[in-house]
Amino acid sequence: MFSAIATSMESASKQMENAINRVTSDLIGSQDDTVVNCKLRIQEGFRRAYSAKQEYEKEGLVITEAGEGEWLEIQAGSVSSLTACTYGACDSESDSLDVMRKLEQDLLSGKKIRVSNDTMGGDPKPGTRKVLRIWYRPASDIITAATQEGKELQLPSHAAEGILSATYGSGDVQQDVMIVLQAALLSANGKPLTVTNDLLGGDPLPGSAKTLTVKYDPTRTRLAFKLQTARELATFGLIAPWLFKAQRSACGLSLDDYFHSLTNEDLSGGEKQASGKSGEIFWFTADKRYVLKTIPDAEVATLVKMLPEYTAYLNSNPDSMLTRYLGVYSLEDNGRTTQFVVMNNIFEGSPTLDVMYDLKGTTEDRWVDPEPGKCLKDNNFAESTVYCDDATAAAIHSAIISDTKFLEKQGIMDYSLMMALSYDPSFTPTCHRYSKLIGGIRGLEAKGVSDETVSECIIFIGMVDMLVTYGWKKVAAHNIKAITIGWKEEIDTVAPDRYAARFREHFGLKIRGKSEQVNVTMVSPADFETPMPAMGRSGGTAAFFKVTYKDGVSIPEAKQSKAYWIGKDLARAKDEVAFYEAAKGLQGAAGWELLKWMTPYMGVCRADCHVVQGKPPQLVDVMLLRNGRDGYTTCRMLDIKMGQVTAVAGWQGKSAVSAWLQANTVDALTNSSGQGFRLEGFDSPPEALMSYQDFLTHGDVASLAAGAKKVRRFCLQNLKASQFISFFLDLHGTSSSSYAKAKGKATSSAAPEPESGRLSQVETQELVLLSCIEELSHFLAACRKAPAPQQWIGSSVMLCFDSGSRPAREVLTRGSRAWGCARVHIFDWGRSELNTAAMHARLEDDKKAERQKYWGYYCGAVAMLLYDCCNLYVRRFWHAKESLALTVWDKDKDFMPDTFVGLCTVPLAETGEEQTLVDWKGGSVKSGMLRTTQSSLAITVKPRQLDADSRLRDCWTVKVHGASNLPCKDALSPNDSFAEVAAFPEEAAAVLGSLDDADAQHHIRVGAHVTTLAEDRAVPVWEEEFEIATLEEGARMPFYKALSTALGIEGSGFSPTALEAQVEQLFPCHPSKAPCSSEAARLQVQFVGACLPGLELPKTLSSMSLVDA
């Protein structure tokens, strides 16, 4: 339904835009036949113009003509002296009458003269249309003309190009109407105009009498000539000839050279562009140096107004890629006026062009069905990138930046970059008449996201169609499209500043230096067993395939493991392969140490794969990535999506509606908005977590509405780091629990003894967590040194280890960062960019700020994740434990907060006694209708001997057997109970005495060990055993080093004593000293700020809290 509505809205948008076009259409659309067949008259006009221009430039004379039956008027005061006045046939001067004496007084006084035989005193050539020609020298004084509202405009109809300023209003309230007035005069074609609000585009002061005040330079007059036709006389006009003389001079063009091309041979063309929407008509000079294009009145006015600044800009920017406008002309024929511009042909000197593009850097309506000779558009060019040498690419980017800023200043948008490619490598570009960048550049065209198809080519480029302002028509179109099709693609009608910024950003990526070229590393399938079996999908999109080396393959990876790589279907990962290839080229370069944590990538292998079970194998391009499960019995893996924003409208193809939905649902309602990251995936989770997810998907409202899979995922996305890291480390046995019995997994055998020569459960947990802390610390330090801020949207950090077997004890001899107990990688680059210093320098200031903002989000998220890992490490292992706190909770559905049942605090000493449960204030917890039966928790606490080489000491096992006589917290069913176990460096009485405070109640839950959930059990049974131990003081150095790396403390600044104080301050462990929620948040902010000095961090960081109900 949504798609149907969108299609309907888009159709309505197109209809409205067409209606706007019809309302404001110029005469070109209704006179195609006239215009197409008028090139002979155009060239005759150029010949007349050439002759007149010679007189004007050599003698300073202006020629004005009017045909028989027309009126002629010269503004009073605009003439210095009359030189000649003749009346005769259009195509002959031989029989003309000299009417100088007859008309001189009237002309100098500004009187209108009706051109007729009677007025001129005779008919010099009966049977033909005659023309009055006047030669005069213009006056140099500026003329000011004021016309009241409702009166006829006191300005010559041909004065449009001479207007210096035009304001409309009364007193201090004045509206600039220069362009509107110029356009009106140009379209009036000599007809009188009345000053009205409608004519001038609005009423600046309703209810008051207004005046139009115009300053006019009479020397800037229009030249016009009469041309003989089979019907009426045609009029050929030169618009703003004095300005274009300066423009052609700046381009190094002489009058003779310019008009020779226009008149020497017939023009070609005279047709509309097949792929264009404007309906404009194009002609080409025979020598292919110039292009003639019809343009509407408003664009003529825009060009005339900006011409002085445009000429000055080109003088100071000789390598500009802007089209050189060299003249504007008009042809009035049979009552219809056509205006056209002459501009340089940016393809001058080119060989046969194989493909041509009109590019705007947008996607809306930018596809053309390819045909030979047809000009294509942006969506046709989507998978292409062109490369040239680095210096040329830098010059192009510099020119685009400068040119678009100039156009933005002029209020212009909707321009294009014309690009044509010739695949003839033998051609040598030599024609750089206007700019070293216009006239052909040798380069490469690469097609595909990863540049898999590369062709040598000659690139011809230039910027065209630079005369459209952001007027009411474009504003109306923008507003309509923004609410119809703007949600799914980038619309073309936007304000000049946005248009320019988008244009710069887009072509900064589509035109690049050869050093930035992506070359896909193709890997032969000969070393692998094929067909490759399917393994499943990631997030329901990208298919994965099992990659196995053949026996006897001798490369290092194959020797390490036959399953070293895993294959990811490139059809769903094209955006990633370019990132991986670019990263390969930067690995090892200064400042790019952070790429060491990127999932190792080999290349792309085209191999037979079992895509569909039971079907023949298909040839698939698979991306070879390091197999995170390789070497593990059971790979436990966390996929942590970094950044509080994981979708940005318009970024890497993300639509506005999709980004909005994700921002207001997934990002806003999960831990992304809390800690700046969220858990997106959890491979091989412990049974404790599985029991909670099973419970949440059994008939609750959320699972019925959204589906069990989405509820499980939402459960993960809402876990705080302290929770999911605790689950990540969970290795305790659950085979005798109520959950195991319900699932048919229960066994009566005792928990197995630790395997000889391997680490114990708690030793494995300590070393896995320490390994993650070490890698995250060094990764964070590498992020600080990145050469440029990155925009890694939706990228993930992976933590994984083997939860199916314990490490051999020999790992204890390896030392810091060499334990080999866990892996930390960064991955998922579908919406990420590898921003180099060179790329960053080309960005607009606002885009640089965006990169800085999102890099702050990413790095801040890494630092916050590291904080929770360190906090958990200190809680679990740092201090000698004196007591245990065991709490019992009732889990509620629909993500409601857990309900407290009761707790017990006991000294950390051997015991097997059943413990009575109390409430937060120490009062007894009882059950039954009269609350007379004492609730209890059965536990066993025993010391455990660790090996002499252990990094830990004072190891204890805590077994939670079950609970009895629990008060019922659910209205219609027994409790859904679970227990938490935490150890503290305080006496049991002190712990209990502090728990009447809500902050302390939360404090004892952070990092606690958690049992499975006993669903609907009046008497829950767990029989689950946990291990608790303390780190040897001599084993603290690796943590100190990791912490100092994260905080940027190096060299002589490193001090274990000072770091000990930092640990005590940043990671409080004592319930009696539990920080309040705001203080806990402040500690996290302090840590993140210390890790990332100078980096702009998320503004929401200060409001983020560790507290989670």
Side-chain angles (χ1 to χ4, degrees):
M1 183 180 73
F2 190 58
S3 176
I5 292 172
T7 302
S8 177
M9 292 172 73
E10 182 172 357
S11 176
S13 168
K14 296 293 184 185
Q15 292 174 12
M16 183 65 74
E17 183 178 10
N18 291 337
I20 293 172
N21 283 327
R22 286 194 297 273
V23 171
T24 59
S25 63
D26 57 86
L27 294 172
I28 294 297
S30 61
Q31 58 170 24
D32 291 345
D33 292 340
T34 302
V35 176
V36 169
N37 295 313
C38 71
K39 63 182 180 182
L40 293 178
R41 286 190 286 282
I42 289 176
Q43 287 194 282
E44 176 58 27
F46 281 135
R47 293 185 184 97
R48 290 291 314 280
Y50 180 35
S51 174
K53 287 283 285 179
Q54 285 180 311
E55 291 189 62
Y56 176 73
E57 294 189 5
K58 293 177 181 178
E59 306 294 335
L61 296 178
V62 174
I63 301 176
T64 297
E65 298 184 350
E68 187 176 357
E70 298 175 349
W71 291 87
L72 186 144
E73 175 190 14
I74 299 177
Q75 180 82 8
S78 64
V79 176
S80 172
S81 62
L82 287 174
T83 302
C85 297
T86 64
Y87 178 66
C90 178
D91 54 357
S92 173
E93 290 281 346
S94 59
D95 299 321
S96 296
L97 297 177
D98 184 348
V99 293
M100 177 77 166
R101 289 186 177 182
K102 190 174 186 65
L103 301 180
E104 184 174 13
Q105 186 174 352
D106 289 342
L107 288 171
L108 292 175
S109 64
K111 183 179 179 180
K112 276 189 176 182
I113 298 174
R114 173 77 173 181
V115 180
S116 66
N117 293 333
D118 292 342
T119 305
M120 300 300 118
D123 185 348
K125 194 171 183 180
T128 64
R129 287 288 304 277
K130 269 73 69 180
V131 174
L132 171 64
R133 293 188 177 96
I134 300 173
W135 287 259
Y136 68 91
R137 285 187 171 83
S140 58
D141 295 333
I142 303 300
I143 297 172
T144 299
T147 308
Q148 292 182 345
E149 182 182 4
K151 301 293 185 179
E152 186 175 308
L153 180 64
Q154 299 300 304
L155 204 66
S157 59
H158 61 272
E161 51 267 59
I163 295 175
L164 302 177
S165 68
T167 59
Y168 179 56
S170 177
D172 294 334
V173 181
Q174 297 290 333
Q175 179 177 309
D176 183 357
V177 294
M178 180 171 170
I179 287 184
V180 176
L181 181 60
Q182 285 177 317
L185 285 167
L186 290 168
S187 59
N189 194 37
K191 298 175 183 176
L193 295 175
T194 300
V195 176
T196 65
N197 295 330
D198 290 340
L199 176 74
L200 299 174
D203 188 345
L205 199 63
S208 298
K210 291 163 285 290
T211 301
L212 172 65
T213 304
V214 182
K215 289 187 177 181
Y216 164 65
D217 183 350
T219 66
R220 298 184 173 187
T221 188
R222 187 174 192 170
L223 301 180
F225 313 101
K226 297 298 178 179
L227 305 177
Q228 186 70 52
T229 71
R231 301 184 296 270
E232 301 294 322
L233 291 175
T235 303
F236 186 84
L238 284 71
I239 301 173
W242 75 99
L243 286 177
F244 283 108
K245 174 188 176 183
Q247 169 65 1
R248 290 192 296 271
S249 177
C251 294
L253 294 175
S254 68
L255 188 71
D256 294 341
D257 187 33
Y258 174 67
F259 278 104
H260 178 79
S261 292
L262 294 171
T263 60
N264 188 47
E265 296 182 53
D266 288 347
L267 301 174
S268 61
E271 300 173 351
K272 296 179 182 179
Q273 205 177 61
S275 59
K277 293 191 296 183
S278 65
E280 306 298 354
I281 297 168
F282 292 80
W283 292 275
F284 302 89
T285 59
D287 58 9
K288 304 302 181 185
R289 286 181 61 178
Y290 305 115
V291 178
L292 287 69
K293 176 189 174 184
T294 59
I295 58 174
D297 299 334
E299 293 187 22
V300 173
T302 299
L303 177 55
V304 170
K305 181 181 179 183
M306 80 169 186
L307 203 52
E309 290 184 58
Y310 172 67
T311 301
Y313 173 79
L314 292 178
N315 280 333
S316 59
N317 294 271
D319 288 321
S320 165
M321 297 202 303
L322 297 180
T323 299
R324 270 52 172 184
Y325 291 118
L326 304 171
V328 176
Y329 307 90
S330 66
L331 176 67
E332 182 194 352
D333 188 9
N334 199 27
R336 293 172 175 167
T337 301
T338 300
Q339 297 177 116
F340 57 93
V341 64
V342 177
M343 51 194 175
N344 69 299
N345 180 5
I346 61 173
F347 304 140
E348 179 187 359
S350 66
T352 301
L353 296 174
D354 295 287
V355 63
M356 186 184 303
Y357 298 97
D358 178 331
L359 305 172
K360 293 182 182 290
T362 182
T363 59
E364 183 229 335
D365 197 20
R366 301 299 294 168
W367 171 265
V368 173
D369 292 332
E371 294 177 13
K374 205 170 190 179
C375 185
L376 306 181
K377 296 186 179 181
D378 294 79
N379 291 338
N380 303 91
F381 191 66
E383 289 200 357
S384 294
T385 304
V386 293
Y387 296 91
C388 48
D389 66 78
D390 288 2
T392 301
I396 291 173
H397 295 147
S398 177
I400 288 178
I401 290 171
S402 181
D403 290 348
T404 53
K405 286 184 176 180
F406 169 76
L407 296 177
E408 179 185 342
K409 180 182 175 183
Q410 301 299 320
I412 290 172
M413 43 79 71
D414 208 29
Y415 41 87
S416 300
L417 182 78
M418 286 297 295
M419 177 184 294
L421 306 178
S422 170
Y423 301 122
D424 179 4
S426 64
F427 177 78
T428 300
T430 58
C431 186
H432 298 96
R433 190 186 309 275
Y434 303 96
S435 163
K436 68 181 181 183
L437 304 177
I438 298 177
I441 299 164
R442 192 172 296 279
L444 303 171
E445 180 197 26
K447 289 188 176 181
V449 175
S450 51
D451 295 353
E452 48 261 42
T453 304
V454 179
S455 305
E456 290 188 29
C457 61
I458 307 299
I459 307 161
F460 293 85
I461 53 176
M463 290 172 62
V464 300
D465 297 342
M466 324 166 325
L467 298 175
V468 177
T469 58
Y470 195 55
W472 74 268
K473 176 182 173 183
K474 291 295 182 181
V475 172
H478 169 80
N479 292 334
I480 294 167
K481 293 178 183 180
I483 61 174
T484 54
I485 59 176
W487 60 269
K488 71 173 187 176
E489 58 187 339
E490 188 76 40
I491 60 176
D492 55 356
T493 47
V494 293
D497 56 344
R498 171 64 189 136
Y499 194 95
R502 183 178 66 191
F503 196 90
R504 292 189 286 265
E505 181 181 8
H506 181 76
F507 292 107
L509 297 174
K510 301 299 280 185
I511 303 171
R512 309 181 83 157
K514 289 182 179 178
S515 64
E516 297 180 78
Q517 185 180 358
V518 176
N519 294 307
V520 176
T521 305
M522 296 304 297
V523 180
S524 170
D527 290 339
F528 304 105
E529 294 180 2
T530 54
M532 297 178 178
M535 295 181 65
R537 293 181 179 272
S538 170
T541 55
F544 281 82
F545 300 93
K546 183 178 180 181
V547 179
T548 307
Y549 276 112
K550 292 178 179 177
D551 291 334
V553 176
S554 59
I555 63 176
E557 292 85 356
K559 291 181 179 180
Q560 183 173 336
S561 172
K562 293 181 68 176
Y564 191 88
W565 304 107
I566 192 172
K568 186 175 184 180
D569 186 359
L570 189 63
R572 294 285 185 170
K574 283 189 174 181
D575 292 337
E576 290 191 77
V577 73
F579 187 98
Y580 277 112
E581 290 289 355
K584 279 181 70 175
L586 291 172
Q587 284 179 332
W592 289 103
E593 289 82 359
L594 76 168
L595 296 180
K596 293 177 182 177
W597 284 267
M598 189 178 72
T599 303
Y601 159 81
M602 186 182 190
V604 174
C605 178
R606 184 165 295 169
D608 285 326
C609 297
H610 282 302
V611 178
V612 181
Q613 190 174 4
K615 298 287 186 179
Q618 299 178 24
L619 200 61
V620 177
D621 286 333
V622 293
M623 191 164 56
L624 300 180
L625 302 172
R626 179 71 169 104
N627 183 1
R629 298 173 175 81
D630 178 40
Y632 287 169
T633 303
T634 303
C635 179
R636 179 169 291 173
M637 182 187 300
L638 300 181
D639 174 353
I640 309 167
K641 194 164 290 291
M642 310 304 287
Q644 66 187 62
V645 176
T646 60
V648 177
W651 174 252
Q652 305 286 23
K654 195 72 169 180
S655 70
V657 70
S658 179
W660 183 88
L661 287 172
Q662 187 153 324
N664 288 277
T665 53
V666 181
D667 289 349
L669 302 177
T670 66
N671 196 42
S672 292
S673 64
Q675 293 184 290
F677 53 82
R678 65 175 181 264
L679 183 62
E680 198 70 18
F682 199 141
D683 287 3
S684 306
E687 300 237 316
L689 178 57
M690 292 172 64
S691 70
Y692 302 144
Q693 291 186 305
D694 288 348
F695 170 75
L696 290 173
T697 55
H698 288 169
D700 66 313
V701 175
S703 62
L704 291 174
K709 184 177 180 180
K710 290 184 178 179
V711 170
R712 286 177 178 273
R713 188 175 184 184
F714 190 63
C715 173
L716 297 180
Q717 292 171 335
N718 274 278
L719 292 175
K720 300 296 183 184
S722 61
Q723 296 171 307
F724 66 68
I725 296 297
S726 293
F727 283 129
F728 178 65
L729 299 173
D730 187 357
L731 297 171
H732 82 278
T734 62
S735 59
S736 299
S737 66
S738 296
Y739 175 73
K741 291 176 181 177
K743 291 294 183 180
K745 302 177 182 179
T747 63
S748 57
S749 59
E753 289 295 321
E755 189 177 345
S756 177
R758 294 192 175 273
L759 301 183
S760 69
Q761 177 189 127
V762 70
E763 287 177 309
T764 302
Q765 292 170 330
E766 185 271 330
L767 217 50
V768 166
L769 184 53
L770 176 61
S771 297
C772 292
I773 290 170
E774 289 178 324
E775 294 309 308
L776 288 173
S777 295
H778 282 81
F779 174 59
L780 187 60
C783 289
R784 287 197 299 261
K785 300 176 183 177
Q790 306 300 309
Q791 190 160 332
W792 293 352
I793 304 298
S795 179
S796 292
V797 168
M798 176 184 75
L799 309 181
C800 66
F801 78 104
D802 188 354
S803 63
S805 64
R806 306 285 185 267
R809 300 201 69 81
E810 64 86 15
V811 301
L812 297 173
T813 65
R814 297 180 184 177
S816 181
R817 297 194 70 201
W819 316 111
C821 294
R823 296 172 185 161
V824 176
H825 289 302
I826 53 175
F827 71 105
D828 200 352
W829 309 110
R831 299 198 187 278
S832 296
E833 167 199 70
L834 202 57
N835 187 29
T836 64
M839 292 168 59
H840 193 68
R842 295 198 297 264
L843 294 175
E844 296 295 300
D845 289 343
D846 61 331
K847 295 302 178 183
K848 289 179 180 178
E850 280 188 14
R851 304 301 192 277
Q852 194 70 32
K853 177 178 75 172
Y854 291 116
W855 190 228
Y857 289 175
Y858 185 92
C859 295
V862 174
M864 286 186 274
L865 176 62
L866 175 61
Y867 178 89
D868 269 14
C869 288
C870 292
N871 193 45
L872 182 58
Y873 188 84
V874 173
R875 293 282 184 96
R876 288 270 183 100
F877 306 111
W878 202 256
H879 297 285
K881 309 303 187 291
E882 296 185 33
S883 63
L884 296 172
L886 300 99
T887 51
V888 180
W889 301 83
D890 174 54
K891 177 69 71 175
D892 290 318
K893 289 185 179 291
D894 298 324
F895 298 95
M896 298 299 290
D898 300 330
T899 302
F900 174 69
V901 178
L903 84 151
C904 61
T905 56
V906 298
L908 186 54
E910 187 168 1
T911 183
E913 296 180 4
E914 194 162 332
Q915 306 295 317
T916 59
L917 295 179
V918 298
D919 59 23
W920 293 121
K921 295 184 178 181
S924 295
V925 174
K926 297 181 179 181
S927 64
M929 291 185 64
L930 301 177
R931 294 291 189 263
T932 57
T933 306
Q934 178 64 52
S935 303
S936 62
L937 183 67
I939 64 171
T940 298
V941 182
K942 292 181 179 180
R944 176 171 177 190
Q945 187 66 39
L946 296 175
D947 287 6
D949 61 349
S950 179
R951 290 171 43 80
L952 305 177
R953 62 181 173 86
D954 300 334
C955 182
W956 297 83
T957 62
V958 181
K959 189 166 188 177
V960 183
H961 300 287
S964 57
N965 302 320
L966 297 178
C968 187
K969 298 295 183 179
D970 291 339
L972 302 176
S973 64
N975 289 345
D976 308 297
S977 304
F978 66 97
E980 294 180 344
V981 180
F984 298 102
E986 288 187 296
E987 293 182 354
V991 173
L992 182 60
S994 67
L995 294 181
D996 60 344
D997 177 74
D999 292 319
Q1001 293 166 16
H1002 169 76
H1003 184 81
I1004 67 169
R1005 301 194 69 182
V1006 176
H1009 300 271
V1010 185
T1011 68
T1012 57
L1013 183 74
E1015 185 175 350
D1016 286 341
R1017 297 282 177 165
V1019 182
V1021 176
W1022 291 297
E1023 298 298 341
E1024 300 176 29
E1025 186 174 87
F1026 305 93
E1027 293 182 3
I1028 292 170
T1030 300
L1031 189 67
E1032 291 278 7
E1033 288 196 14
R1036 290 181 172 183
M1037 190 57 69
F1039 182 80
Y1040 283 142
K1041 289 182 177 179
L1043 185 60
S1044 67
T1045 297
L1047 296 173
I1049 302 172
E1050 298 175 342
S1052 59
F1054 177 77
S1055 167
T1057 303
L1059 287 169
E1060 172 64 24
Q1062 291 257 33
V1063 170
E1064 294 295 336
Q1065 178 196 3
L1066 290 169
F1067 313 113
C1069 294
H1070 300 69
S1072 63
K1073 301 177 183 178
C1076 64
S1077 58
S1078 60
E1079 174 62 14
R1082 188 195 65 79
L1083 290 174
Q1084 191 168 10
V1085 171
Q1086 178 184 336
F1087 177 82
V1088 174
C1091 291
L1092 301 167
L1095 186 66
E1096 180 184 349
L1097 298 173
K1099 292 180 180 178
T1100 54
L1101 180 60
S1102 59
S1103 64
M1104 293 178 183
S1105 173
L1106 296 175
V1107 175
D1108 177 40

